[in-house]
Amino acid sequence: MFRQKKEELRQALGSQDPYRIASVLEIPPLANAGFGGSSGGQSIKESLSIQGIEWGPVLSSWLEASQAASNNDAAKYYEAQSSLHAAFNHLFGSSQGNWLVPALHAICRNTHKAAVVADKCNPSGRNDNSKLENAVTLLQDSFSKTLNDRKEFVPSAPWNEDGSKKAGVLYIVNQLFSMYFRLNTLRLCKNLLRPVESHNLHEKGNMGDMVTYRYYAGRLNMFEDQYEAAESNLDYALKHCHRAAIKNKKGILRYLVPVKLLRGRLPTAQLLQKYSLHEFIPLVDGIRKGDLRTFNEGLLKYQDLFIRRGTYLLLEKCKTVCYRNLFKRVFAISGKTQIPLDNVARSFKWLGMHIDLDEVECILANLIFRGYVRGYISHAKRVLVLSKRDPFPKSAVIK
C-alpha cells in the first residue's frame, strides 16, 4: 500500500490536478468508529520530492493515519491527521495560486471529523473536547493562509497557479463555525465574520458554502438577539438551499421558525407537516388562537429539545404574542373598548391559569409598553381602556 499511495500522490501532484490530490489525501474512516483502541503502531518516515518540494511529511502522516484507521486507534488516527494538516499548511502557505485549495478543504474536513471521533473515544470516558480544541488551531492557521493571499479573488475562476487562495476561505470558515458551536465558544465567531464580510466573501463563490455561512450567521444573530438580521440570513439560507436537501432545510427551519414566531409570522400547518416539525404545532396553534394553555403545554413537552437547540428562551418570549392575541379575542367577544380586568382574569382561569388582577395589570402594561396594545389601564377602576382606532396594531407584532 505504501508504494501505491506514494505513486498516486506523485502523479496527482505532478499533474497539479486539484480534485485528484484531494481524493488521494482523503483518509479512510476508522474500522469501528464507536470504539477507541490502541494500536501502538510505529512511526512511518517516507520521502517524496516533487519539483524540489518535500512532500514526505504529508505522505508519512497519511500512511500513519491509514494504519491507525485499520487498527481502530482513534487517538493515533487524530494525531496522524493533525500532523498531516500541519505539514500541509506549511506547504500550502508557500505554494503559488490556489490549485491546492480543494485538498486543503478535504484535510480541514478530515481533521474536524477525526477530532470529534477521538474525543468521543477518549479512554477516560470523559469527552473534554481537547482534540477538537487542538483542531481549531490547525483550521485557524488554514483560514489565515487563505484569507491573507494578496491576489484578487475572482468567483468561478479555475484552480491554477494564478488563482487566489481566498477562494478557500468560506468553506474553512463554515468548518470553524461548526466547531465553535460544538465547543460553545460563539464569541470567536466574530473573528471570522468581520474579515469575511469586509471582503464580501460571503456573497461570492460556491452556493453551498454561502448557504452554510448564512445558516451559521443567522444562528449567531439569533443568540445575540439580532432577530431582523437572523431572519434575513436564515431566509436566504432556506431560499437558496438545494431543493433536494430536505434534511438541511429542516435544520434551517428549526431556527427560522422561532425567529418568525417572535416577529409575528406564523408558518402554515402544511409546512410544519412537510418537514416533520411537530414540536412547533402546539406553539403555533396557541399563538394563533391566543390559547396560553396549548402554548405552555407544547413548550413544556418539548422543553428539553428546545434547550438543546438553544431556542427555548426565544420561544418563551413568543408568549408575549400569545398574550396579545388572547386579549384581542376577549375584546372581540365583548365588543367594547372598556374591558373590566375581572373579565380578562376569567379568561385566564378558563385556560387553567389562576392569576390575580395585579398580575393581569402587569402583563397588560408590558404589552402596552411594547406597542402590542393601544390603550391604558385605569388602576382605580380596574379597567382596560382600549383605543377606538386599531387597538391591536399588526405593525407592532409583524415586523
Side-chain angles (χ1 to χ4, degrees):
M1 182 185 73
F2 288 11
R3 291 181 179 178
Q4 180 184 353
K5 178 56 64 173
K6 187 173 184 177
E7 188 57 32
E8 286 178 359
L9 185 57
R10 184 194 303 278
Q11 291 178 7
L13 291 170
S15 64
Q16 292 193 354
D17 185 333
Y19 294 106
R20 188 178 176 187
I21 299 168
S23 177
V24 170
L25 293 178
E26 280 279 2
I27 56 173
L30 285 171
N32 188 347
F35 302 90
S38 180
S39 64
Q42 297 180 347
S43 61
I44 300 170
K45 299 295 181 184
E46 288 283 337
S47 62
L48 176 62
S49 180
I50 305 292
Q51 297 178 359
I53 299 173
E54 182 55 52
W55 285 83
V58 172
L59 175 62
S60 300
S61 297
W62 187 96
L63 293 171
E64 288 180 6
S66 180
Q67 186 179 74
S70 61
N71 291 327
N72 192 37
D73 185 345
K76 183 66 176 177
Y77 184 70
Y78 172 72
E79 182 184 333
Q81 173 60 25
S82 62
S83 296
L84 187 158
H85 197 151
F88 191 90
N89 274 345
H90 177 72
L91 293 171
F92 181 82
S94 59
S95 66
Q96 293 294 319
N98 61 9
W99 59 283
L100 288 175
V101 164
L104 181 64
H105 287 172
I107 290 170
C108 287
R109 180 175 63 249
N110 291 337
T111 300
H112 183 181
K113 289 180 179 179
V116 172
V117 171
D119 282 330
K120 285 181 178 179
C121 298
N122 191 328
S124 66
R126 183 171 56 117
N127 186 356
D128 58 3
N129 290 318
S130 60
K131 297 292 190 295
L132 190 62
E133 289 173 355
N134 176 263
V136 164
T137 61
L138 291 167
L139 269 79
Q140 287 173 336
D141 188 27
S142 299
F143 168 68
S144 297
K145 291 183 185 302
T146 52
L147 182 69
N148 295 332
D149 189 6
R150 294 182 179 181
K151 289 184 180 178
E152 183 181 356
F153 172 48
V154 180
S156 302
W159 306 110
N160 55 37
E161 292 187 342
D162 298 319
S164 171
K165 291 186 174 74
K166 287 190 178 75
V169 168
L170 209 54
Y171 183 90
I172 299 171
V173 165
N174 291 335
Q175 290 289 324
L176 282 168
F177 273 149
S178 178
M179 298 163 91
Y180 290 157
F181 272 87
R182 185 182 284 269
L183 293 169
N184 197 27
T185 53
L186 302 188
R187 67 186 185 282
L188 297 177
C189 292
K190 289 290 186 183
N191 299 333
L192 303 176
L193 289 171
R194 283 191 291 266
V196 167
E197 297 188 2
S198 65
H199 291 88
N200 290 324
L201 297 176
H202 63 304
E203 297 176 353
K204 304 174 182 178
N206 180 279
M207 180 56 73
D209 291 339
M210 290 192 290
V211 166
T212 305
Y213 178 88
R214 293 299 188 99
Y215 164 72
Y216 281 116
R219 286 182 62 183
L220 189 64
N221 294 143
M222 186 192 75
F223 289 128
E224 294 178 340
D225 296 338
Q226 299 172 357
Y227 300 119
E228 185 176 353
E231 185 176 16
S232 175
N233 279 317
L234 291 169
D235 264 335
Y236 180 96
L238 183 65
K239 181 180 178 181
H240 293 89
C241 187
H242 195 280
R243 65 176 65 184
I246 302 300
K247 184 179 179 181
N248 291 346
K249 287 187 175 183
K250 184 176 179 179
I252 296 167
L253 285 166
R254 285 172 179 163
Y255 297 95
L256 180 57
V257 168
V259 173
K260 293 276 191 184
L261 290 180
L262 184 64
R263 292 174 61 78
R265 295 178 173 86
L266 305 184
T268 64
Q270 182 182 6
L271 178 75
L272 298 180
Q273 291 289 349
K274 179 180 178 181
Y275 293 100
S276 301
L277 297 169
H278 306 298
E279 64 271 24
F280 292 115
I281 292 176
L283 304 184
V284 173
D285 286 345
I287 291 174
R288 182 174 281 116
K289 299 174 184 176
D291 184 351
L292 277 165
R293 177 164 49 194
T294 300
F295 182 91
N296 287 334
E297 287 174 354
L299 199 59
L300 182 62
K301 181 178 179 180
Y302 297 103
Q303 176 177 324
D304 291 343
L305 178 63
F306 294 140
I307 289 174
R308 285 198 303 274
R309 292 179 187 169
T311 56
Y312 180 80
L313 293 178
L314 173 57
L315 290 167
E316 181 75 31
K317 292 179 182 179
C318 296
K319 191 180 290 186
T320 306
V321 184
C322 198
Y323 281 134
R324 179 257 189 196
N325 290 345
L326 171 61
F327 293 134
K328 186 177 180 181
R329 292 192 73 185
V330 173
F331 165 69
I333 292 170
S334 67
K336 299 178 181 178
T337 56
Q338 296 188 18
I339 303 173
L341 297 187
D342 281 329
N343 292 354
V344 178
R346 277 197 290 271
S347 67
F348 278 99
K349 185 178 179 181
W350 183 77
L351 290 170
M353 300 174 63
H354 298 275
I355 63 176
D356 57 30
L357 295 183
D358 288 338
E359 198 167 350
V360 171
E361 276 195 33
C362 182
I363 293 169
L364 278 168
N366 186 39
L367 291 173
I368 292 170
F369 173 76
R370 288 170 174 262
Y372 286 10
V373 176
R374 285 180 180 164
Y376 64 91
I377 301 169
S378 173
H379 178 72
K381 296 181 179 180
R382 296 284 189 169
V383 171
L384 168 65
V385 181
L386 292 170
S387 170
K388 293 182 180 180
R389 182 180 178 182
D390 196 14
F392 297 91
K394 288 184 178 180
S395 59
V397 181
I398 302 176
K399 300 175 182 176

